[in-house]
Amino acid sequence: YEDMRQLDFDIVPIRDTRIWRYADVSALRSFPGTVGDAARPIRATEVVAEHLGLLETVDALREEPQLFVLHGTSVAGVVTRADVQRQAVSMALLGLVLAAEQGLTELIRRRLDDRWEDLLTPVRIERAKALLRDRQRHNAAIDLIQCLGLEDLLRITAKDRGIRAGLGYSASDFKAWTTQLRRIRDTL
């Protein structure tokens, strides 16, 4: 228990002939028996393939506190929610969100020019204008569309079939993608 706590492990896989059980370190504090006695079986919902992408892994970790990564037919690693908060993973996720924002901004600019303003409420437009004025006071060379937040960009894109089609999304596929993107942003 002490070794696992010092290494800051939340869980530890138990190797028998194959790894099929794990022990929750927090449960070991008050457990009188051995680590093996405290072990729980790995459920199918906690197992993912090694090629699962980062976005899908983040989504899966919303349902399970840890995931056991399969390499072939054997457990080769463990990913926990704490791993998503590590700096390298957070930076990669932030990069994905920022790339999505920049890509949507450029698509909207090219497809709609200034007509995108008709797709937002006056309140949202005024917020963007206030941000633009503030940034211009600080000598930033930007335009109004660059002052939109992710939610505004997603709203505009959801309302314009041409942009969605250019991205290869139907309305329902785009909604699923935006849900995933929001989850990632919220994780950060």
Side-chain angles (χ1 to χ4, degrees):
Y1 166 75
E2 282 302 315
D3 291 341
M4 292 180 285
R5 196 175 64 76
Q6 285 178 344
L7 292 170
D8 198 26
F9 288 168
D10 296 324
I11 62 165
V12 61
I14 307 296
R15 183 177 298 279
D16 295 316
T17 52
R18 296 184 118 179
I19 296 173
W20 60 274
R21 303 180 301 152
Y22 70 97
D24 185 325
V25 175
S26 63
L28 294 175
R29 277 186 216 135
S30 59
F31 191 79
T34 67
V35 171
D37 293 337
R40 296 186 268 189
I42 297 172
R43 298 183 326 264
T45 58
E46 297 174 306
V47 178
V48 297
E50 66 184 330
H51 57 77
L52 188 67
L54 180 59
L55 301 180
E56 292 83 6
T57 300
V58 170
D59 263 355
L61 285 168
R62 291 189 166 286
E63 303 299 321
E64 299 291 345
Q66 68 272 331
L67 299 170
F68 296 87
V69 182
L70 283 182
H71 175 74
T73 59
S74 301
V75 172
V78 180
V79 179
T80 66
R81 291 175 180 162
D83 294 325
V84 174
Q85 298 304 318
R86 292 178 186 237
Q87 189 173 11
V89 176
S90 292
M91 293 301 290
L93 292 172
L94 178 60
L96 290 171
V97 172
L98 292 174
E101 281 186 342
Q102 185 60 38
L104 290 174
T105 298
E106 288 308 311
L107 286 171
I108 291 166
R109 183 190 317 271
R110 289 180 186 164
R111 171 141 172 92
L112 299 175
D113 196 28
D114 289 334
R115 293 173 292 142
W116 60 264
E117 293 183 45
D118 298 335
L119 300 175
L120 292 177
T121 65
V123 171
R124 303 300 291 190
I125 296 294
E126 188 49 46
R127 280 189 196 156
K129 287 180 177 178
L131 183 56
L132 177 63
R133 286 188 297 272
D134 184 57
R135 288 186 176 174
Q136 286 174 336
R137 273 192 295 275
H138 293 94
N139 209 24
I142 60 172
D143 60 1
L144 185 58
I145 195 168
Q146 292 172 298
C147 295
L148 298 178
L150 179 61
E151 287 300 318
D152 295 327
L153 297 168
L154 293 174
R155 281 187 183 118
I156 293 166
T157 305
K159 292 178 180 180
D160 188 273
R161 187 178 350 165
I163 295 173
R164 283 195 325 271
L167 291 168
Y169 288 123
S170 67
S172 61
D173 290 341
F174 182 74
K175 185 175 181 180
W177 180 75
T178 60
T179 299
Q180 190 176 41
L181 188 61
R182 286 180 179 114
R183 284 181 183 162
I184 291 167
R185 178 206 54 204
D186 295 346
T187 298
L188 298 172

